[in-house]
């Protein structure tokens, strides 16, 4: 009896999935579940750090949202009369500049100017669309999503086309993760993972060992293609056609667009990029998803590691990624 009780007590001590020195908290931010995992820090300190990171991420959400209760600076730009200029907050302006630089480096695969197109397709609403929009309307939006219709001058950013709309949906989550990580660091967090809907950034290690991160299988629910080990300060982000989609006449229509066609990009099932920060990894995983083989070269040129999965489920990796990636079949 005593032995049984002792055993029960022992089991109770190990209950739950985490060790005592792991603090894990989940919040709903930017329309997705955000999980903070902090190891090797006293619980009260970890909780305080998470509160600061959450606050910071909500601040970023308010700057970039296009469907919040309060009008964001991005929405203010989107509502400008053609020819008008707006002074955007420094952070928004900097992320717009960075986004336009990635637009160029990715050969127009990633673009922060697709807001009109995304709204036309209906992917910005919580309810998914049921059928694709009219082809002519797609072409009108596609033409409006060009860098010639936005200009930075000494007074701010000028909007030059009546259909031009900004959308930071492919980069803002990464930026929010980076700001969240900065807040954690300020609170002396050295070992952590900050994950937001498939995008994540790690810090340090897990009890002295590298973090092991699975890369999601685009067609097997809950399955992985393989995994990478990350130690120190790195981010890994995956974009996939399985995140938000509808099926119409037997065809899958998802939320990542090829700016060339104005339609869902159709060469990849998913794309993954590893970078030093989540802003870069987020933007480039979207770019790689759209551009496949050409994107892989651009990813390498930007000194990042990446892989994409084509429509046959075949994986294509940069040299750097080949060294980091452990395919599932070998284990
Ligand atoms: P992600 O899941 O990071 O690949 O981002 C997808 C989101 O970014 C979509 O829901 C759209 O809001 C937006 N988006 C779609 N296609 C693109 C693209 N080619 N470039 C930039 N943003 C895009
Ligand atoms: Mg992205």
């Amino acid at each position: 009896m005593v032995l049984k009780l002792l055993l029960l007590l022992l089991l109770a001590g190990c209950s739950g999935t985490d060790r005592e020195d792991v603090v894990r908290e989940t919040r709903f931010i930017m329309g997705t579940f955000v999980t903070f995992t902090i190891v090797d820090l006293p619980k009260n300190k970890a909780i305080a750090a998470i509160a600061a990171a959450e606050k910071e991420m909500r601040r970023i959400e308010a700057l970039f949202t296009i469907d919040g209760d309060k009008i964001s600076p991005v929405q203010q730009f989107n509502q400008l009369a053609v020819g008008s200029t707006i002074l955007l907050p420094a952070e928004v302006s900097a992320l717009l500049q960075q986004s336009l630089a990635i637009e160029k480096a990715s050969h127009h695969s990633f673009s922060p100017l697709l807001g009109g197109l995304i709204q036309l397709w209906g992917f910005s609403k919580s309810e998914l669309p049921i059928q694709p929009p009219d082809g002519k309307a797609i072409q009108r939006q596609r033409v409006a999503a060009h860098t010639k219709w936005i200009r930075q001058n000494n007074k701010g950013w000028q909007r030059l086309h009546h259909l031009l709309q900004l959308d930071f949906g492919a980069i803002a989550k990464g930026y929010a993760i980076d700001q969240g990580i900065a807040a954690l660091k300020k609170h002396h967090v050295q070992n952590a993972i900050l994950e937001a809907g498939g995008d994540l950034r790690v810090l340090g290690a897990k009890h002295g060992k590298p973090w092991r991160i699975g890369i999601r299988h685009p067609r097997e629910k809950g399955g992985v293609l393989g995994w990478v080990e990350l130690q120190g300060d790195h981010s890994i982000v995956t974009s996939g056609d399985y995140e938000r989609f509808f099926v119409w006449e037997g065809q899958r229509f998802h939320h990542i667009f090829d700016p060339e066609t104005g339609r869902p990009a159709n060469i990849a099932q998913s794309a993954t990029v590893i970078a030093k920060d989540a802003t870069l990894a987020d933007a480039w995983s979207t770019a790689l998803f759209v551009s496949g083989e050409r994107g892989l070269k651009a990813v390498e040129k930007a000194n990042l590691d990446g892989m994409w999965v084509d429509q046959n489920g075949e994986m294509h990796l940069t040299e750097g990624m080949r060294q980091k990636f452990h395919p599932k079949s070998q284990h």
Side-chain angles (χ1 to χ4, degrees):
M1 179 65 195
V2 175
L3 203 69
K4 218 172 166 186
L5 198 69
L6 206 70
L7 196 70
L8 267 174
L9 280 173
L10 267 174
L11 282 172
C14 319
S15 73
T17 48
D18 294 330
R19 288 164 48 164
E20 258 175 48
D21 45 8
V22 177
V23 176
R24 181 170 289 138
E25 295 279 324
T26 299
R27 304 279 187 276
F28 195 74
I29 312 171
M30 296 183 115
T32 193
F33 289 103
V34 178
T35 302
F36 304 84
T37 306
I38 296 180
V39 299
D40 300 332
L41 197 69
K43 188 162 183 182
N44 60 338
K45 289 198 173 146
I47 295 288
I50 290 168
E54 177 187 358
K55 195 171 162 207
E56 181 62 2
M57 292 177 83
R58 292 201 191 279
R59 187 182 68 78
I60 306 300
E61 178 178 21
L63 285 177
F64 292 96
T65 184
I66 46 167
D67 57 8
D69 297 336
K70 251 181 86 193
I71 290 195
S72 69
V74 171
Q75 276 168 297
Q76 281 176 3
F77 176 90
N78 288 349
Q79 290 170 9
L80 277 186
V82 173
S84 298
T85 298
I86 187 174
L87 189 66
L88 292 170
E91 269 180 299
V92 178
S93 185
L95 198 67
L96 179 51
Q97 270 176 353
Q98 188 179 2
S99 297
L100 291 171
I102 297 172
E103 199 266 3
K104 205 168 168 195
S106 70
H107 310 288
H108 194 53
S109 303
F110 165 90
S111 170
L113 310 180
L114 299 174
L117 195 70
I118 294 157
Q119 282 163 49
L120 175 71
W121 276 85
F123 280 104
S124 35
K125 299 196 190 90
S126 52
E127 230 169 272
L128 283 168
I130 48 169
Q131 66 178 66
D134 165 65
K136 281 207 186 93
I138 292 174
Q139 289 319 313
R140 278 197 296 276
Q141 293 294 349
R142 191 185 64 80
V143 169
H146 196 285
T147 49
K148 70 184 172 198
W149 305 126
I150 185 166
R151 211 174 286 157
Q152 190 176 24
N153 57 38
N154 55 8
K155 291 204 184 83
W157 290 89
Q158 192 180 19
R159 182 169 178 262
L160 295 162
H161 193 292
H162 71 289
L163 293 176
L164 178 70
Q165 302 273 293
L166 298 177
D167 183 303
F168 289 90
I171 191 170
K173 215 162 36 162
Y175 182 66
I177 289 175
D178 287 339
Q179 296 309 111
I181 286 282
L184 293 182
K185 282 182 180 173
K186 257 193 220 156
H187 280 72
H188 313 293
V189 172
Q190 290 177 344
N191 304 291
I193 295 189
L194 207 177
E195 196 253 319
D199 301 11
L200 68 83
R201 181 161 160 183
V202 306
L203 277 185
K206 189 178 188 186
H207 311 306
K209 289 201 186 113
W211 296 102
R212 183 194 259 229
I213 312 292
I215 297 177
R216 184 172 161 169
H217 194 294
R219 291 293 177 265
E220 286 171 17
K221 217 170 179 217
V224 295
L225 293 168
W227 46 272
V228 294
E229 283 185 340
L230 299 176
Q231 186 158 5
D233 200 349
H234 301 280
S235 171
I236 180 163
V237 172
T238 297
S239 285
D241 64 2
Y242 47 79
E243 286 175 47
R244 282 177 69 69
F245 69 93
F246 63 91
V247 176
W248 187 70
E249 294 191 341
Q251 205 184 330
R252 180 192 289 245
F253 293 89
H254 60 79
H255 71 311
I256 306 173
F257 298 95
D258 181 349
E260 278 305 318
T261 62
R263 295 170 185 278
N266 58 12
I267 55 172
Q269 294 179 346
S270 73
T272 301
V273 168
I274 299 178
K276 68 179 183 347
D277 66 50
T279 305
L280 279 172
D282 194 4
W284 277 101
S285 70
T286 305
L288 182 57
F289 179 93
V290 171
S291 52
E293 223 34 55
R294 191 177 189 204
L296 213 57
K297 291 201 180 79
V299 162
E300 252 170 348
K301 208 168 160 202
N303 286 320
L304 309 172
D305 296 322
M307 62 182 275
W308 67 286
V309 180
D310 66 24
Q311 290 297 2
N312 298 321
E314 240 164 78
M315 296 181 269
H316 306 263
L317 290 76
T318 59
E319 191 45 49
M321 191 70 177
R322 211 165 287 147
Q323 284 162 25
K324 292 192 170 86
F325 181 66
H326 303 263
K328 192 183 159 200
S329 52
Q330 290 181 8
H331 295 272

